[in-house]
Structure formats: C-alpha cells, structure tokens
Amino acid sequence: QVQLVESGGGLVQAGGSLRLSCAASGLTFSRYAMGWFRQVPGKEREFAASISWSSGSTYYADSVKGRFTISRDNAKNMAYLQMNSLKPEDTAVYYCAASLKISTSTGDYVFWGQGTQLTVSS
C-alpha cells in the first residue's frame, strides 16, 4: 500500500552533483516528515537529512551540511535530495523514509523505500 520509491542515483565523479527523488504513494504525504538515509555494505544506516511536513525545519548530518539540500513538494508527493560537491565517501545506497515527526533517528521512521545506489568516483 504505502510505497516510497527512490530514483536518481547513479555514477558521478567527485565534485559533481546529483538529485535524488522520492515518490510517495499510499499515505497522506503532507502529514509526514521525510528523511534521507544512506548505507554502505557492512555498516549501519546513517542519517543524512530530514525535513518537516511543512518544510519549516530541516536537519542535516555534519557530513553533508553545506553540500546536500533536502526539499519536498507536498502537492506532488515528492521529496528530493540535492547533492552537490559529491565525495567518494558519499557512495552508498540512499533511502527515503517517512516519519510522524522530524527526526534524525532511523527508529522514528515508519515507511522506507528500497533505496537507490549512488557511486562517487575519484
């Protein structure tokens, strides 16, 4: 029923930019805070960015501050992650998730997408 589908991943050179998209369906999108997380093999899922339901508040991990921008379009049930100045360390599977409150914790998110791969080459 509830689906979050990420897209926009791919291969990009260090210093490049990419925008990830998350298409939501099956939920009242505007009632949920949205977040982006990332995970590399063998490591725990890591918080990247989150945004409140009204776009009034955003949080960013220190590792992405100044480089990533989270946004949303409630009319389109879409969330985005604009990624600039990409680094090889950003290589990961990126997940879109929905939460009842803005949060940096994976445990607060109740719906998850299946992820999209970002690979940043040096």
Side-chain angles (χ1 to χ4, degrees):
Q1 294 181 1
V2 174
Q3 292 188 74
L4 301 177
V5 181
E6 303 93 339
S7 63
L11 176 64
V12 62
Q13 288 189 327
S17 298
L18 208 64
R19 188 181 75 161
L20 304 183
S21 298
C22 174
S25 62
L27 77 168
T28 304
F29 182 74
S30 61
R31 294 180 180 176
Y32 291 84
M34 299 298 296
W36 287 95
F37 294 77
R38 61 189 188 181
Q39 188 170 28
V40 299
K43 293 188 177 181
E44 294 184 353
R45 195 163 297 183
E46 177 186 68
F47 169 76
S50 61
I51 187 168
S52 62
W53 68 269
S54 63
S55 301
S57 299
T58 57
Y59 291 133
Y60 295 96
D62 289 342
S63 58
V64 308
K65 284 181 180 177
R67 300 188 300 118
F68 290 12
T69 303
I70 188 170
S71 62
R72 66 189 296 161
D73 185 339
N74 288 345
K76 297 181 178 180
N77 287 3
M78 296 288 292
Y80 307 95
L81 187 67
Q82 178 66 47
M83 304 179 293
N84 300 325
S85 302
L86 284 164
K87 305 174 181 179
E89 307 91 85
D90 296 319
T91 296
V93 176
Y94 282 73
Y95 296 90
C96 173
S99 173
L100 293 175
K101 63 179 181 180
I102 190 167
S103 175
T104 63
S105 300
T106 57
D108 288 329
Y109 288 80
V110 294
F111 301 119
W112 294 84
Q114 293 185 341
T116 185
Q117 176 72 48
L118 170 69
T119 301
V120 183
S121 62
S122 61

